[in-house]
Amino acid sequence: MSTQRCSVACPGVFDDYEFGVCLTHDVDRIHKTYQSVYYALTERRLHHLESLFSRSRPYWQFEEIMALEDRLDVRSSFYFLNEKRLVSDKPPSAWLRPANWIQYTGHYDVTGPSVVDVIRKLDRGGWEVGLHGSFDSYAEPDRLVREKRRLEDVLGHSVTGGRQHYLNLNVPETWRNHRDAGLRYDASFGSSSTVGFDAPVPAADTDGSQSAAADTGRVGTGVFRPFDDDFLVFPLTVMEAPLVEEAGSIDAAWQKLQELLTEARAEKAIVTVLWHPRLFNETDFPGYRRLYERLIVEAKSLGAWVGPVEEAYHELVDHRRCGDE
């Protein structure tokens, strides 16, 4: 498996910009359910229980994100999830595992009226709506196809790409499944615990894909083609929670972000950023919204193109010679 690299350094790609920043949001949860009790106990802050007894929706942050990005004159990618249900989609033996109650309960219905409305509003406003493959779909191609079709039925047109839940990935089988399903890019490759351009290669599964994973090697500073066609992989460069946890504070995270953007500019890289919508709630996650805003302002001041992955995909594919070595 070859890994042809693509970057802003390739001739004709983002000619007016120094580097690229792709903004993404994985829509995991829109309701604060068991988290209310968990955070109330662990943080000893009773305000977390408010959502259990009121109509407040602390994790519903779509309008806030759209207003912020509209003010900064940028757009982003929203990846919507169609997760399995524990009782209806999993065998009874799985019901007894506590981890499954967290994984497969408390999610939203992508065909629910409020979700349909916001998906269509995002689409009309120029944001990308993509697929957030469910926890098992990375290894279940039929499931992936059904999820894609269901989202497209809501959206009214095809989706270009997306990211797997929990960054689950078999290399390169998941990418083949994505391509076969009609997706044109994947943004799952990377780490949920580290930040930067050296994310570790996903562990190979027992299906003999170790050699393919080894060929992929270092993520590096460029998007890459895992196959000799127009299917692209956008490595995840930074996720908000690991960034703050690794740095130790919001202020230290900002310093790390500045260093990352400076490196990206020097390398003419394409950075892919993940900010979960619920973390825009400043009451529950103070500092994260401001950090995201500062990231965008700083990136633009350094000469970056900033936008959704779908737009970056088309920019790169329009210059097919990029990465052909």
Side-chain angles (χ1 to χ4, degrees):
M1 182 183 73
S2 62
T3 53
Q4 298 170 330
R5 303 290 174 174
C6 307
S7 75
V8 178
C10 295
V13 177
F14 293 123
D15 274 340
D16 297 329
Y17 299 95
E18 297 293 325
F19 65 108
V21 176
C22 294
L23 304 174
T24 71
H25 311 289
D26 291 356
V27 186
D28 295 342
R29 297 180 183 274
I30 61 174
H31 306 296
K32 188 177 180 181
T33 55
Y34 70 85
Q35 298 92 342
S36 298
V37 177
Y38 174 79
Y39 288 125
L41 293 174
T42 58
E43 297 181 7
R44 297 183 181 180
R45 297 168 66 192
L46 295 181
H47 87 272
H48 285 292
L49 299 176
E50 178 185 352
S51 59
L52 294 177
F53 306 103
S54 71
R55 294 183 178 180
S56 67
R57 299 189 296 178
Y59 286 1
W60 184 278
Q61 296 289 313
F62 298 106
E63 287 79 10
E64 287 76 6
I65 297 171
M66 284 188 280
L68 185 155
E69 293 182 351
D70 197 48
R71 175 165 53 83
L72 297 177
D73 194 27
V74 298
R75 292 295 186 265
S76 59
S77 303
F78 284 80
Y79 301 136
F80 283 85
L81 178 69
N82 184 18
E83 188 55 86
K84 289 180 178 179
R85 302 303 192 259
L86 181 60
V87 175
S88 60
D89 296 327
K90 302 294 287 185
S93 59
W95 302 353
L96 302 178
R97 295 178 58 190
N100 285 339
W101 283 92
I102 295 175
Q103 181 58 55
Y104 297 107
T105 62
H107 292 286
Y108 56 92
D109 180 358
V110 76
T111 64
S114 62
V115 179
V116 169
D117 285 347
V118 81
I119 285 175
R120 293 175 178 172
K121 184 176 181 180
L122 286 164
D123 184 54
R124 290 194 303 270
W127 282 269
E128 178 189 6
V129 174
L131 179 65
H132 196 30
S134 65
F135 189 78
D136 298 316
S137 67
Y138 76 102
E140 297 180 1
D142 291 342
R143 170 85 191 184
L144 184 73
V145 169
R146 291 197 300 273
E147 292 174 9
K148 177 176 177 287
R149 287 175 178 169
R150 194 176 193 200
L151 179 60
E152 290 173 339
D153 286 343
V154 170
L155 190 58
H157 60 77
S158 61
V159 299
T160 304
R163 176 183 291 126
Q164 288 298 131
H165 200 24
Y166 281 76
L167 309 183
N168 288 340
L169 195 63
N170 281 343
V171 175
E173 282 70 19
T174 301
W175 293 330
R176 289 200 181 100
N177 294 341
H178 279 216
R179 185 181 59 177
D180 292 345
L183 296 172
R184 302 170 73 182
Y185 76 80
D186 176 55
S188 309
F189 187 58
S191 172
S192 59
S193 59
T194 61
V195 172
F197 296 112
D198 285 308
V201 172
D205 202 1
T206 57
D207 56 5
S209 60
Q210 179 62 54
S211 59
D215 285 344
T216 302
R218 180 178 182 268
V219 168
T221 55
V223 175
F224 62 86
R225 291 187 175 91
F227 315 111
D228 187 22
D229 58 19
D230 285 339
F231 184 86
L232 299 185
V233 172
F234 286 78
L236 176 61
T237 317
V238 55
M239 188 191 305
E240 77 295 271
L243 168 68
V244 175
E245 291 169 6
E246 182 178 305
S249 69
I250 292 292
D251 289 340
W254 170 238
Q255 295 298 320
K256 194 170 183 67
L257 270 181
Q258 287 181 303
E259 294 170 4
L260 183 69
L261 292 174
T262 300
E263 180 183 1
R265 186 173 188 264
E267 296 287 342
K268 293 189 176 296
I270 297 176
V271 175
T272 303
V273 173
L274 167 55
W275 236 258
H276 292 83
R278 68 181 184 277
L279 272 75
F280 283 83
N281 179 348
E282 280 288 305
T283 302
D284 286 6
F285 304 100
Y288 281 87
R289 181 199 298 229
R290 176 59 178 158
L291 194 59
Y292 180 77
E293 182 175 356
R294 294 179 75 181
L295 161 69
I296 295 172
V297 172
E298 179 74 2
K300 295 182 77 171
S301 73
L302 291 173
W305 169 88
V306 182
V309 181
E310 181 180 42
E311 189 173 330
Y313 170 85
H314 287 296
E315 180 74 15
L316 292 168
V317 169
D318 285 347
H319 300 85
R320 180 62 175 88
R321 65 185 179 277
C322 177
D324 290 343
E325 299 174 354

